[in-house]
Amino acid sequence: MYTRFMVAHNSIRHRLVLLHGITATSHSLKQSGEILRDLLQADEVVLPDLPFHGAGEQLPSYKVPHMLEWLSALVADSLTDCEHLTIIAHSYSAALLLLWAQAQSKSLENVECIAIAPPLRITRVARQLSQAISMLPKRLSWHTFAGPSIKPFLQTHISAYPRRKLDRDRIYASTKHDDNSYERYVVQVQMNTNLYEHLERHPITEIHAPTLLLLCGKDLVVDSPRLARELIDQGHELLHIRYVSNSGHLLISQDPERLVRIIHEWQQLKHSEQADYLKAASSV
């Protein structure tokens, strides 16, 4: 399922693709998409639902290899009749985007990747949540899942689970009206767990597209300080890391204007570095 916002142009010079995180849908980024389209001067914004989310596809498997095939097809389709493609991905999708950028055989100059809060290193709370959800029955009504009995269960298995997140999850669950939604939620958490396991076996070691990585200091999901240190030590040539100390996991939806300012700073830095390179090369 694709939601598109377009402006009146005969051709697409700049296309923007926004990818949401686990348990969300493209609707969660609709308002941010309109803001980002205007401030980044995109001719078109594409908002797909991830597989197993909303109206998204049902792939043969939720595991990372199948998800990477889906993302590769999306990128290839998005590059059609387009001079420049920007992909902004959040959380699970951000990690998937980094894995995709690593898998490319050559540098992609007409693609910009912005990865926000990818769970390459996760907090203890996030890992405990994925383990706890995997223990729940495969079929359960949303009334039961959203009821008071779920809090003691999560508090028992997740020692540091924040109360505000428990309340948020209960509100989210109570908006659902069918048993299949609960089953889909379990699949979505299993997708996250599979991603964690995949990243342990296949860590990010090389990036083949200009990439801005945003890590948030108040993130309850991603162990941002540890991840920032590790990636800086690795010294990826095309990876620019920005640590946003006073922001949480949901930067893309809570403060899209700030996100745009950070993107513009990164783009200006890239252009400045390219100009310095060309100047040095011409003097040889």
Side-chain angles (χ1 to χ4, degrees), residues 181-255:
S181 294
Y182 170 81
E183 293 173 325
R184 179 169 285 196
Y185 181 74
V186 171
V187 170
Q188 292 162 2
V189 176
Q190 289 171 339
M191 289 172 67
N192 237 9
T193 302
N194 176 254
L195 175 68
Y196 302 156
E197 294 170 348
H198 183 91
L199 286 166
E200 288 177 356
R201 297 191 304 269
H202 308 283
I204 302 298
T205 58
E206 192 172 3
I207 300 293
H208 293 123
T211 301
L212 171 64
L213 173 60
L214 278 77
L215 299 175
C216 304
K218 294 185 178 180
D219 201 324
L220 296 176
V221 178
V222 182
D223 188 350
S224 296
R226 176 188 171 192
L227 179 56
R229 288 193 300 270
E230 290 182 2
L231 292 174
I232 289 172
D233 289 343
Q234 291 172 13
H236 299 279
E237 182 179 351
L238 293 176
L239 182 65
H240 179 79
I241 302 170
R242 178 70 181 268
Y243 190 82
V244 189
S245 59
N246 59 346
S247 181
H249 191 67
L250 300 177
L251 171 65
I252 186 172
S253 54
Q254 293 177 341
D255 199 351

Side-chain angles (χ1 to χ4, degrees), residues 77-109:
D77 179 60
S78 300
L79 280 170
T80 304
D81 300 325
C82 168
E83 295 178 22
H84 185 77
L85 175 65
T86 300
I87 307 170
I88 302 179
H90 175 242
S91 194
Y92 173 94
S93 292
L96 198 69
L97 180 61
L98 292 173
L99 287 169
W100 173 85
Q102 176 169 259
Q104 303 312 299
S105 59
K106 60 180 181 179
S107 179
L108 302 170
E109 296 300 329

